[in-house]
Amino acid sequence: MSGRSIRVVRAGALTTVQDTGRPGYAHLGVPRSGALDPGAHALANRLVGNEPGAAVLETTLNGCAVRADTPTTAAVTGAPCRVTLNGRPVAWSGPVAVPAGGVLSLGPAEYGVRSYLAFAGGLAVDPVLGSRSTDLLSGLGPEPLTDGATLPLGPARPVRPVSAPTLPWQAPPAELVLPLLPGPREDWFTDGALRTLATGTYRVSAASNRIGLRTEGPALERAREEELPSEGMTLGSVQVPPDGCPVVFLADHPTTGGYPVIGVVPQEALDPTAQAVPGTPLRFVLRRRRAAPGRN
């Protein structure tokens, strides 16, 4: 251990430790977890000279505040917010020198949902299955932050932080447009349900979280009403519960489920969901897989 640490002054509504997650353990019932906004996570680490996969803090809606026990460099990315050091404004999306005893505070998100706070050296909490990420579903990893908690920092790398202008970040979406590949239980829904999914306008529900992005909008009619035995669920699966409103599974999703999956959002298209505030319009764009060459 480096002997460096931070102390939580204000934990916020939900602040967790996140890195790139723990993929590859779904067969053990362990979700992937990891930062919901990979671009903002990577940018925060680059700004302080960390390795891309270093652990950071992911805040939700109303930020957090921490005190540095030793001098360090920090950076805030993701949802834009007011950032202060000992009460004075400092840069958002840029490296900030924090002295020993300095209190760095992130205010409420001005737009978007999740901000990311990185420190030089990364958060050095004990890894579980190769990751330091908090998993809200399984309970693996460190607990969500609480006031007064202390988190260790790793040794800072001797690398000059890079400047923000060279590191673009995708702003929160005014409208969320998600491509959708046919799912394994597409035939459990009526043709009308598929038309509704392709043409209807949904909105992001306030009940959304790291487990799944819930929607509000027209219900999807099922063609089959019997129960479905639990089966494997992948990241991006769009499951339809009894109320008929689709749920997009995110990083902390269950690895099995019994509601039918009408489609799957490709992983690379999920990033904007991290910053979609409740009420954001949402459209699904159905994509059919191309037939292999030589097949009808």
Side-chain angles (χ1 to χ4, degrees), residues 34 65 84 159 176 287:
T84 62
V159 176
L176 195 57
R287 293 181 179 175

Side-chain angles (χ1 to χ4, degrees), residues 261-281:
V261 172
I262 193 170
V264 178
V265 177
Q267 180 179 334
E268 62 272 14
L270 289 174
D271 292 6
T273 63
Q275 303 296 353
V277 300
T280 298

Side-chain angles (χ1 to χ4, degrees), residues 61-63 78-83 92 107-115 172 277:
L61 292 175
N62 70 344
C81 62
R82 186 171 187 264
V83 184
W92 169 83
E110 295 174 0
Y111 56 96
V113 178
R114 295 173 175 88
S115 298
V277 300

Side-chain angles (χ1 to χ4, degrees), residues 125-207:
V125 298
D126 292 336
V128 179
L129 295 178
S131 171
R132 295 181 166 91
S133 289
T134 300
D135 181 347
L136 298 181
L137 185 67
S138 70
L140 294 178
E143 293 289 327
L145 263 60
T146 56
D147 293 354
T150 298
L151 299 175
L153 299 178
R157 299 171 62 207
V159 176
R160 290 185 60 188
V162 293
S163 59
T166 62
L167 303 171
W169 173 75
Q170 186 174 2
E175 180 186 39
L176 195 57
V177 180
L178 297 179
L180 189 71
L181 297 173
R185 301 300 176 184
E186 179 187 11
D187 59 346
W188 279 54
F189 297 88
T190 65
D191 291 341
L194 296 174
R195 286 193 297 271
T196 297
L197 187 63
T199 61
T201 297
Y202 291 86
R203 292 189 178 274
V204 174
S205 167

Side-chain angles (χ1 to χ4, degrees), residues 6 30 48 69-70 76 78 98 111 150 159 168 207 223 236 264 281 283 289:
I6 58 170
V30 177
V48 298
D69 291 337
T70 53
V76 180
V98 183
Y111 56 96
T150 298
V159 176
V264 178
R283 289 190 295 114
R289 293 184 177 88

